[in-house]
Coordinates of all heavy atoms in Angstrom, one line a residue:
A616 N 135.8 33.7 -111.1 CA 136.3 34.6 -112.2 C 135.9 34.0 -113.6 O 135.6 34.7 -114.5 CB 137.8 34.7 -112.1
A617 N 136.0 32.7 -113.7 CA 135.6 32.1 -115.0 C 134.1 32.2 -115.3 O 133.7 32.2 -116.5 CB 136.1 30.6 -115.0
A618 N 133.3 32.3 -114.3 CA 131.9 32.3 -114.4 C 131.4 33.8 -114.6 O 130.2 34.0 -114.9 CB 131.2 31.7 -113.2
Q619 N 132.3 34.7 -114.5 CA 131.9 36.1 -114.7 C 131.6 36.5 -116.2 O 132.3 35.8 -117.1 CB 132.9 37.1 -114.1 CG 133.1 36.9 -112.6 CD 131.8 37.2 -111.9 OE1 131.1 38.1 -112.1 NE2 131.5 36.3 -111.0
P620 N 130.8 37.4 -116.5 CA 130.6 37.8 -117.9 C 131.8 38.5 -118.4 O 132.6 39.1 -117.7 CB 129.4 38.8 -117.9 CG 129.3 39.2 -116.5 CD 129.9 38.2 -115.6
P621 N 132.1 38.5 -119.7 CA 133.2 39.2 -120.3 C 133.0 40.7 -120.2 O 131.9 41.2 -120.2 CB 133.2 38.7 -121.8 CG 131.9 38.1 -122.0 CD 131.3 37.7 -120.7
T622 N 134.1 41.4 -120.1 CA 134.0 42.8 -120.0 C 134.1 43.4 -121.4 O 134.6 42.9 -122.3 CB 135.2 43.4 -119.2 OG1 136.4 43.0 -119.7 CG2 135.1 42.9 -117.7
D623 N 133.5 44.6 -121.5 CA 133.5 45.4 -122.8 C 132.9 44.6 -124.0 O 133.2 44.9 -125.1 CB 134.9 45.8 -123.1 CG 135.5 46.6 -122.0 OD1 134.8 47.3 -121.3 OD2 136.8 46.6 -121.9
V624 N 131.9 43.7 -123.7 CA 131.2 43.1 -124.8 C 129.7 43.4 -124.6 O 129.1 42.9 -123.6 CB 131.5 41.5 -124.8 CG1 130.7 40.9 -125.9 CG2 132.9 41.2 -124.9
P625 N 129.1 44.2 -125.5 CA 127.7 44.5 -125.3 C 126.8 43.3 -125.4 O 127.0 42.4 -126.2 CB 127.5 45.5 -126.4 CG 128.6 45.3 -127.4 CD 129.7 44.7 -126.7
G626 N 125.8 43.3 -124.5 CA 124.8 42.3 -124.5 C 125.3 40.9 -123.9 O 124.6 39.9 -124.0
S627 N 126.4 40.9 -123.2 CA 126.9 39.7 -122.6 C 126.8 39.6 -121.1 O 127.5 38.8 -120.5 CB 128.4 39.5 -123.0 OG 129.2 40.5 -122.4
D628 N 125.9 40.4 -120.6 CA 125.8 40.5 -119.1 C 125.3 39.2 -118.5 O 125.4 38.9 -117.3 CB 125.0 41.7 -118.7 CG 123.6 41.7 -119.3 OD1 123.4 41.0 -120.3 OD2 122.7 42.3 -118.7
K629 N 124.6 38.4 -119.3 CA 124.1 37.1 -118.8 C 125.0 35.9 -119.2 O 124.7 34.8 -118.9 CB 122.7 36.8 -119.4 CG 121.7 37.9 -119.0 CD 121.2 37.7 -117.6 CE 120.1 38.7 -117.3 NZ 119.9 38.9 -115.9
K630 N 126.0 36.2 -119.9 CA 126.9 35.1 -120.4 C 128.1 35.0 -119.4 O 128.4 36.0 -118.7 CB 127.4 35.4 -121.8 CG 126.3 35.6 -122.8 CD 125.7 34.3 -123.1 CE 124.6 34.4 -124.2 NZ 123.9 33.2 -124.5
S631 N 128.8 33.9 -119.5 CA 130.1 33.8 -118.7 C 131.2 33.5 -119.6 O 131.1 33.1 -120.7 CB 129.9 32.7 -117.7 OG 129.7 31.5 -118.3
L632 N 132.4 33.8 -119.1 CA 133.6 33.6 -119.9 C 133.8 32.1 -120.2 O 134.1 31.7 -121.4 CB 134.9 34.0 -119.1 CG 135.0 35.5 -119.0 CD1 136.1 35.8 -118.0 CD2 135.3 36.2 -120.3
V633 N 133.5 31.2 -119.3 CA 133.5 29.8 -119.5 C 132.2 29.2 -119.0 O 131.7 29.6 -118.0 CB 134.7 29.2 -118.6 CG1 134.8 27.7 -118.8 CG2 136.0 29.8 -118.9
T634 N 131.6 28.3 -119.8 CA 130.3 27.8 -119.5 C 130.5 26.9 -118.2 O 131.6 26.4 -117.9 CB 129.7 26.9 -120.6 OG1 130.6 25.8 -120.8 CG2 129.6 27.7 -121.9
R635 N 129.4 26.8 -117.5 CA 129.4 25.9 -116.3 C 129.8 24.5 -116.6 O 130.6 23.9 -115.9 CB 128.0 25.9 -115.6 CG 127.5 27.3 -115.2 CD 128.3 28.0 -114.2 NE 127.6 29.1 -113.5 CZ 127.6 30.4 -114.0 NH1 128.3 30.7 -115.0 NH2 127.0 31.3 -113.3
A636 N 129.3 24.0 -117.7 CA 129.7 22.6 -118.1 C 131.1 22.5 -118.4 O 131.8 21.5 -118.0 CB 128.8 22.2 -119.3
D637 N 131.7 23.5 -119.0 CA 133.2 23.4 -119.3 C 134.0 23.6 -118.0 O 135.0 22.9 -117.8 CB 133.6 24.6 -120.2 CG 133.1 24.3 -121.7 OD1 132.8 23.1 -122.0 OD2 133.1 25.2 -122.5
I638 N 133.5 24.4 -117.0 CA 134.1 24.5 -115.7 C 134.1 23.1 -115.1 O 135.2 22.6 -114.5 CB 133.4 25.5 -114.8 CG1 133.7 26.9 -115.4 CG2 134.0 25.4 -113.4 CD1 132.9 28.0 -114.7
V639 N 133.0 22.4 -115.1 CA 132.9 21.1 -114.5 C 133.9 20.1 -115.2 O 134.6 19.3 -114.5 CB 131.5 20.5 -114.6 CG1 131.4 19.1 -114.2 CG2 130.5 21.3 -113.7
Q640 N 134.0 20.1 -116.5 CA 134.9 19.2 -117.2 C 136.3 19.5 -116.9 O 137.1 18.6 -116.7 CB 134.6 19.3 -118.7 CG 135.3 18.3 -119.5 CD 134.9 16.9 -119.1 OE1 133.8 16.5 -118.9 NE2 135.9 16.0 -118.9
I641 N 136.7 20.8 -116.8 CA 138.1 21.2 -116.5 C 138.4 20.7 -115.1 O 139.5 20.2 -114.9 CB 138.2 22.7 -116.6 CG1 138.2 23.2 -118.0 CG2 139.5 23.2 -115.9 CD1 138.0 24.7 -118.3
L642 N 137.5 20.8 -114.2 CA 137.7 20.3 -112.8 C 137.9 18.8 -112.8 O 138.7 18.3 -112.0 CB 136.7 20.8 -111.9 CG 136.6 22.3 -111.6 CD1 135.4 22.7 -110.8 CD2 137.9 22.8 -111.0
K643 N 137.0 18.1 -113.5 CA 137.2 16.6 -113.6 C 138.5 16.2 -114.2 O 139.1 15.3 -113.7 CB 136.0 16.1 -114.4 CG 134.7 16.0 -113.7 CD 133.7 15.3 -114.5 CE 132.4 15.2 -113.8 NZ 131.3 14.6 -114.6
D644 N 138.9 16.9 -115.2 CA 140.2 16.6 -115.9 C 141.4 16.9 -114.9 O 142.4 16.1 -115.0 CB 140.4 17.4 -117.2 CG 139.4 17.0 -118.2 OD1 138.8 15.9 -118.1 OD2 139.2 17.8 -119.2
A645 N 141.3 17.9 -114.1 CA 142.4 18.2 -113.2 C 142.4 17.3 -112.0 O 143.5 17.2 -111.4 CB 142.2 19.7 -112.7
D646 N 141.3 16.7 -111.6 CA 141.3 15.8 -110.4 C 141.9 14.5 -110.7 O 141.5 13.8 -111.7 CB 139.8 15.7 -110.0 CG 139.7 14.9 -108.7 OD1 140.7 14.5 -108.1 OD2 138.5 14.6 -108.3
P647 N 142.9 14.1 -110.0 CA 143.5 12.7 -110.2 C 142.5 11.6 -110.2 O 142.7 10.6 -110.9 CB 144.6 12.6 -109.1 CG 144.8 14.0 -108.6 CD 143.6 14.7 -108.9
E648 N 141.5 11.7 -109.3 CA 140.5 10.7 -109.2 C 139.4 10.8 -110.3 O 138.6 9.9 -110.4 CB 139.8 10.7 -107.8 CG 140.8 10.3 -106.7 CD 140.2 10.4 -105.4 OE1 139.0 10.7 -105.3 OE2 140.9 10.2 -104.4
G649 N 139.4 11.9 -111.0 CA 138.4 12.1 -112.1 C 137.0 12.6 -111.6 O 136.1 12.5 -112.4
N650 N 136.9 12.9 -110.3 CA 135.6 13.3 -109.8 C 135.3 14.8 -110.0 O 134.3 15.2 -110.5 CB 135.5 13.0 -108.3 CG 135.6 11.6 -108.1 OD1 135.2 10.8 -108.9 ND2 136.1 11.2 -106.9
G651 N 136.3 15.7 -109.7 CA 136.0 17.1 -109.8 C 134.9 17.6 -109.0 O 134.6 17.0 -107.9
L652 N 134.2 18.6 -109.4 CA 133.1 19.1 -108.7 C 131.9 18.9 -109.6 O 132.0 19.0 -110.8 CB 133.2 20.6 -108.4 CG 134.2 21.0 -107.3 CD1 134.3 22.5 -107.2 CD2 133.9 20.4 -106.0
S653 N 130.7 18.8 -109.0 CA 129.5 18.6 -109.8 C 129.0 20.0 -110.3 O 129.5 21.0 -109.8 CB 128.4 18.0 -108.9 OG 128.0 18.9 -107.9
L654 N 128.1 20.0 -111.2 CA 127.6 21.3 -111.7 C 126.9 22.0 -110.5 O 127.0 23.2 -110.4 CB 126.5 21.0 -112.8 CG 125.8 22.2 -113.4 CD1 126.8 23.2 -114.0 CD2 124.8 21.8 -114.4
R655 N 126.2 21.3 -109.7 CA 125.5 21.9 -108.5 C 126.6 22.6 -107.6 O 126.3 23.7 -107.1 CB 124.7 20.9 -107.8 CG 124.1 21.4 -106.6 CD 122.9 22.3 -106.9 NE 122.3 22.8 -105.7 CZ 122.3 24.1 -105.3 NH1 122.7 25.0 -106.1 NH2 121.7 24.4 -104.2

């Protein structure tokens, strides 16, 4: 859901609500061990 493009915004079909790098950082911050998931 975070990687989906925003709705009702013209020209944003290739963009996502949250960048992949930010998703990775959020997952690292949430993980108690600090690993999270990799970008891949």
Side-chain angles (χ1 to χ4, degrees):
Q619 297 302 312
T622 57
D623 303 329
V624 178
S627 65
D628 58 336
K629 301 283 186 197
K630 303 288 182 183
S631 62
L632 290 169
V633 182
T634 65
R635 304 294 196 268
D637 288 343
I638 292 172
V639 170
Q640 189 59 46
I641 291 167
L642 294 173
K643 281 184 181 180
D644 293 343
D646 185 5
E648 294 178 3
N650 297 331
L652 291 177
S653 66
L654 177 61
R655 177 72 181 118

